[in-house]
Amino acid sequence: MNWALNLLLLLFLVTTAAVAIRLRDLLAVAIVFSAYSLMMAILWTQLRAPDLALTEAAVGAGVTTVLFVLTIFKTTRRED
Amino acid sequence: MRKAAVLGALLIIGAMLLFAIGKMPAMNSRNAPDKTHVIPRYLEKGEEEGGAKNIVTGVILNYRGYDTMGEVTVIFSALCAVVALLDREKRGLSRSSPDASGVRSSVIVRTVVRFAFPVIVFFAVAYMMLHGEGSPGGGFQGGAILGASVIVFTLAFGLPESTRRMPLKVRIPLESTAIVGFLAMGIIGLAYGVNFLTYLLPGVHGAMAQTVRNLMMTVIEVGIGIGGGVIFISIVFAMMREDKYELQPDVPQP
Amino acid sequence: MNFSRMFHNLNYVVSALLFLMGLYTVVVKPNLIKKLIGLNIMETSVFLFIVSIGMVEGGEAPIVAEGVKSSQMVNPIPQALILTGIVVAVSTTAVALSLCLKIHERYGTLNAAEILGRGEP
């Protein structure tokens, strides 16, 4: 495990999570959450879990984001 | 006032979590309690007992088979709940608002998806499901990628095209393959008088036993993969369709 | 509190932080989709915590291959558990979002405070 890459990924995770919580445009929140999941997938490869990385990249960054975007598209985009 | 109370509560929970983390054994240590009891045996004998070079697959399909059965039940229940809330789509007639607007996605998107789609499906089926015991991959991973590939196709070509290619009467039997395949392979062991999900059946020896075991694991992997993937596809189709854009069967399609 | 050990266990600290951020979102934000994002962040933080427990220094992925000794491999049990967890997480998210669609159809809003205050429409 490369500690510098690990540190960078953890920082990126916290940043994207904070941005996803702060933003008020829900579509942007869904996209930022997709970036969060992708960082999590890279972190799984650092933790020697290739199965988890594959699943997270397909499910977390792919399917979950599509479900969120579909719901936001059919309801409201603004958080109020 | 309410926000201050919430922040105070979070501060207390955070202090408790940090206190607990301070008491935990150092990360990366080989002597931590979780790696000293059953794990050495799983790592040494996993290939022999679980039947897979990928020990995670061995754990999922053998040592912790009941967990996996629960997981398959959960995704099937999720599909049932979504379908009960939102209803199924009608073949070639259900549309989402982008389909109803009549604007097609750009030619770049459609061409890229047309070339990438078969490659992604091949990757999901051949590399993930069929080769899942020797390399990273397995049923759920392959199913997720399979589902994602069809979702990409739907986003590029629209819901009517997708539901025409994958009609309901094909998907309904496939959705249950995961749970039926898993239970069937588990119950074979019970019928022989040994444990649930035993691949080494009594009365089968030598090379034949290996063949039977590989066959059973492949059936489970492909069953979970296809079933899981089709369940994801059905959930997305149900969430995509909109009642107000539904075409009527007797009205000629534009 | 021992800070050098805290730094060594950085993954644990970050997962605790992410858990708190998710919990804050679920409790404070009124929008139902925002609450679900918070719930997903909480879930992934727990996944990160459990997989980090299984990591060993200089470990290899738990796949039997030439030149990899079984004593070098990381713990496979957390990975198998979390693989189940990821699939369950997306299933619950799908059901929750379907409920959001139905709620929006009936009440015309996804703001939990408004829905609770309004009662039966």
Side-chain angles (χ1 to χ4, degrees):
Chain A
M1 192 170 72
N2 184 339
W3 72 267
L5 182 57
N6 192 41
L7 189 67
L8 203 68
L9 286 169
L10 291 176
L11 274 177
F12 202 92
L13 275 181
V14 175
T15 319
T16 43
V19 170
I21 292 168
R22 293 293 299 179
L23 279 177
R24 300 193 67 80
D25 180 353
L26 289 174
L27 196 58
V29 169
I31 303 304
V32 172
F33 185 71
S34 163
Y36 172 91
S37 289
L38 208 59
M39 285 306 123
M40 199 55 114
I42 301 173
L43 192 58
W44 293 142
T45 64
Q46 284 299 301
L47 292 169
R48 302 292 181 268
D51 297 278
L52 287 185
L54 285 163
T55 316
E56 180 82 35
V59 167
V63 179
T64 310
T65 310
V66 170
L67 293 178
F68 271 114
V69 170
L70 281 177
T71 312
I72 292 161
F73 195 73
K74 286 166 82 172
T75 57
T76 48
R77 189 171 161 181
R78 300 295 306 174
E79 179 196 0
D80 45 17
Chain B
M1 180 60 213
R2 189 163 161 270
K3 216 162 187 171
V6 170
L7 284 177
L10 287 182
L11 218 62
I12 294 169
I13 297 171
M16 273 154 57
L17 287 175
L18 281 185
F19 177 76
I21 287 167
K23 297 280 180 200
M24 283 188 67
M27 209 180 119
N28 296 341
S29 114
R30 277 173 203 285
N31 302 320
D34 69 298
K35 295 172 198 97
T36 50
H37 293 285
V38 73
I39 301 307
R41 183 196 159 93
Y42 279 10
L43 290 174
E44 267 167 41
K45 297 245 181 111
E47 189 186 359
E48 192 186 316
E49 291 178 345
K53 281 197 167 62
N54 185 349
I55 294 172
V56 176
T57 307
V59 170
I60 285 176
L61 293 186
N62 194 315
Y63 294 118
R64 290 191 164 265
Y66 285 114
D67 278 13
T68 314
M69 193 173 78
E71 175 183 11
V72 171
T73 316
V74 165
I75 57 172
F76 193 74
S77 317
L79 173 74
C80 294
V82 170
V83 167
L85 284 168
L86 298 176
D87 209 352
R88 294 275 197 185
E89 85 286 345
K90 294 195 186 68
R91 178 181 177 183
L93 298 176
S94 287
R95 297 187 299 177
S96 58
S97 58
D99 300 325
S101 71
V103 183
R104 300 178 78 189
S105 53
S106 86
V107 69
I108 299 174
V109 172
R110 277 182 285 134
T111 313
V112 169
V113 169
R114 192 172 291 141
F115 279 107
F117 179 70
V119 181
I120 301 174
V121 171
F122 181 76
F123 177 71
V125 175
Y127 281 76
M128 294 284 111
M129 292 178 207
L130 295 177
H131 204 252
E133 62 263 25
S135 59
F140 288 110
Q141 297 90 316
I145 294 171
L146 193 68
S149 72
V150 177
I151 290 163
V152 167
F153 183 88
T154 313
L155 293 179
F157 290 95
L159 193 56
E161 180 69 25
S162 262
T163 49
R164 219 172 283 134
R165 298 269 177 104
M166 291 205 73
L168 210 50
K169 64 170 185 262
V170 174
R171 293 208 319 273
I172 286 177
L174 287 179
E175 280 157 5
S176 19
T177 51
I179 192 146
V180 170
F182 195 85
L183 282 178
M185 291 302 121
I187 286 169
I188 286 178
L190 291 181
Y192 270 83
V194 285
N195 285 330
F196 185 79
L197 268 191
T198 306
Y199 303 110
L200 296 173
L201 303 171
V204 187
H205 299 291
M208 190 64 191
Q210 285 300 323
T211 317
V212 167
R213 175 155 83 173
N214 287 340
L215 203 66
M216 286 171 79
M217 291 191 93
T218 309
V219 167
I220 290 185
E221 294 268 38
V222 174
I224 291 178
I226 304 267
V230 174
I231 286 173
F232 285 138
I233 295 166
S234 291
I235 287 176
V236 169
F237 283 0
M239 290 186 72
M240 218 178 227
R241 63 176 281 279
E242 283 178 77
D243 281 332
K244 56 184 169 188
Y245 297 117
E246 193 109 325
L247 295 168
Q248 295 306 314
D250 50 343
V251 176
Q253 288 181 31
Chain C
M1 228 173 260
N2 187 339
F3 279 99
S4 76
R5 171 172 274 190
M6 283 281 171
F7 184 76
H8 203 77
N9 290 354
L10 194 64
N11 281 21
Y12 299 161
V13 178
V14 168
S15 70
L17 187 61
L18 288 174
F19 184 86
L20 290 176
M21 287 162 88
L23 190 60
Y24 171 83
T25 318
V26 172
V27 175
V28 169
K29 300 281 175 177
N31 187 289
L32 291 176
I33 293 180
K34 212 53 175 294
K35 280 181 194 285
L36 284 177
I37 293 275
L39 199 66
N40 270 293
I41 290 175
M42 273 167 87
E43 278 165 350
T44 40
S45 79
V46 176
F47 298 163
L48 174 63
F49 180 72
I50 295 178
V51 175
S52 297
I53 291 175
M55 184 66 191
V56 293
E57 190 66 55
E60 295 285 342
I63 297 170
V64 178
E66 292 280 321
V68 180
K69 289 203 289 284
S70 68
S71 57
Q72 286 177 333
M73 291 177 189
V74 302
N75 188 344
I77 298 284
Q79 300 190 7
L81 293 180
I82 298 314
L83 192 59
T84 310
I86 291 178
V87 178
V88 172
V90 72
S91 305
T92 52
T93 307
V95 176
L97 287 173
S98 313
L99 284 169
C100 281
L101 285 176
K102 279 293 168 194
I103 288 170
H104 189 266
E105 212 169 86
R106 190 176 167 92
Y107 292 90
T109 177
L110 282 180
N111 191 315
E114 260 180 61
I115 293 167
L116 287 173
R118 195 181 295 171
E120 279 294 304

